[in-house]
Amino acid sequence: MTTGAPTPTYPARPRRSRMRTFLPLGLAAWLVLEIWLLTVVAGAASGFAVFLLLVAGFVLGSVVIKRAGRRAFQNLNEALQRGGAPSSSGSSGNGLMMLGGLLLMIPGLISDAVGLLLLIPPVQKAIGRYAERTFDRKLREAAPGTLGDAFQQARMQRPDGKVVQGEVIVRDEPGDDTPQEPRPPLTR
């Protein structure tokens, strides 16, 4: 029986991204693999050897994070004393060193291996270049009104390095043909 009222139409649910679909599955698989690998190594060597390996990874990771953080702070301090922006050459290396140290601190042998790989300078440079190219490509592909578009607009600067923010207001009303008198120039 119909009442004559229109049936409500619900908007289609947006499609989940692959990242949101497979990230929990990947994390679970990684955790299972880490635990399995730790039990295999503990069976081959001893539980105490695995414990020492995990403690050594934690200590090494904390030393790496402290060193990278100190170097990043020193680069920032030098840049502020010069009156310019920090150089981008060392910042990606510091970030990847911190990530490598964090992976060393996480208990597990696979995370330790990936963390040690991130401490190698050629690997850092390759990953840094790849990340920068990917980030720039994503910014160029950003649709108007998205967060990527906001980043693109924020990067627009004058040649002398100054950023001028403002808004242009155009008044094109049909009955407004009266000339306006010139305004005095803005001074500081």
Side-chain angles (χ1 to χ4, degrees):
M1 179 171 176
T2 60
T3 60
T7 58
T9 58
Y10 298 104
R13 289 180 57 183
R15 189 168 185 256
R16 286 179 64 146
S17 67
R18 286 187 209 165
M19 177 77 103
R20 286 187 59 195
T21 303
F22 293 118
L23 185 65
L25 182 63
L27 283 175
W30 172 65
L31 287 173
V32 168
L33 189 61
E34 288 277 18
I35 292 170
W36 175 78
L37 193 57
L38 285 173
T39 58
V40 168
V41 171
S46 69
F48 186 68
V50 170
F51 176 73
L52 287 179
L53 191 64
L54 293 177
V55 169
F58 186 83
V59 170
L60 179 64
S62 63
V63 168
V64 166
I65 287 177
K66 184 177 180 180
R67 182 173 172 226
R70 188 176 288 153
R71 192 166 61 181
F73 184 73
Q74 186 179 22
N75 288 344
L76 178 65
N77 195 13
E78 289 172 1
L80 290 176
Q81 287 177 354
R82 282 191 322 257
S87 63
S88 63
S89 61
S91 62
S92 64
N94 289 333
L96 289 173
M97 277 187 73
M98 286 184 186
L99 180 62
L102 179 67
L103 286 173
L104 283 171
M105 291 177 74
I106 294 174
L109 299 176
I110 297 171
S111 62
D112 288 350
V114 173
L116 286 173
L117 271 176
L118 286 177
L119 297 181
I120 301 171
V123 174
Q124 288 178 355
K125 288 180 183 176
I127 291 175
R129 283 193 306 263
Y130 174 75
E132 187 175 349
R133 282 194 312 261
T134 303
F135 185 71
D136 285 342
R137 182 175 40 88
K138 292 288 185 183
L139 281 181
R140 282 193 303 271
E141 295 173 358
T146 61
L147 185 61
D149 181 45
F151 276 121
Q152 185 67 25
Q153 289 176 3
R155 289 176 48 173
M156 292 180 193
Q157 298 178 353
R158 288 180 31 189
D160 60 356
K162 295 180 182 176
V163 177
V164 179
Q165 297 179 353
E167 183 177 332
V168 177
I169 300 174
V170 178
R171 295 185 183 161
D172 286 337
E173 297 174 3
D176 191 21
D177 292 336
T178 60
Q180 295 181 357
E181 56 187 69
R183 296 183 180 177
L186 296 176
T187 60
R188 289 186 180 203

